[in-house]
Amino acid sequence: MIIYNVTSAIDPSVHEKWLQYMMDKHVPEIMATGKFSKIKIVKVLGDEHHHGGATYSVQYTADSREKLDEYYRDHSPAFRAEMKQLFGESILQFRTELEIIQEFLSV
């Protein structure tokens, strides 16, 4: 499994609008592509003092490299363009890919 991680520093002026957009539109539409088995939105704690706004990590879990590559090819350009159109320079984002080697669960 691969986690496609998008970290976003959100300007306070668009924070509520961005979070609502993510919950109501973006995440449901990305789940509808069938390329990810789960998506987590997590808030980075203690980061507000660096830029005055909140930082979030959105973790999209793909079951295979092929599914992630299909997402990049078939869906990512439109989603990125929409994010840029709606929020412009009010969000600073960077993306990383993480390969899950092993998960350990509490018993």
Side-chain angles (χ1 to χ4, degrees):
M1 285 196 288
I2 297 175
I3 297 172
Y4 170 53
N5 182 76
V6 180
T7 302
S8 302
I10 312 298
D11 186 272
S13 67
V14 299
H15 179 251
E16 290 303 317
K17 180 181 174 185
W18 177 84
L19 195 54
Q20 198 67 49
Y21 164 78
M22 293 298 290
M23 302 288 191
D24 295 344
K25 187 172 188 316
H26 185 76
V27 169
E29 287 181 359
I30 287 192
M31 286 301 289
T33 69
K35 304 305 178 190
F36 300 102
S37 57
K38 68 179 173 181
I39 297 174
K40 290 183 188 177
I41 298 176
V42 297
K43 185 175 183 182
V44 177
L45 300 177
D47 191 54
E48 294 86 359
H49 66 279
H50 290 294
H51 61 86
T55 299
Y56 290 86
S57 168
V58 182
Q59 301 171 354
Y60 307 80
T61 301
D63 293 333
S64 68
R65 172 90 246 169
E66 292 75 26
K67 284 198 175 201
L68 182 57
D69 287 342
E70 289 168 5
Y71 169 76
Y72 287 150
R73 183 188 68 233
D74 300 335
H75 304 284
S76 180
F79 284 116
R80 286 188 190 198
E82 182 175 59
M83 186 75 66
K84 182 78 170 166
Q85 177 197 9
L86 289 172
F87 301 104
E89 301 300 316
S90 298
I91 299 175
L92 174 63
Q93 295 183 313
F94 69 91
R95 294 159 176 81
T96 53
E97 293 179 4
L98 310 166
E99 181 182 10
I100 298 173
I101 304 300
Q102 179 69 46
E103 283 188 278
F104 298 91
L105 302 174
S106 167
V107 288

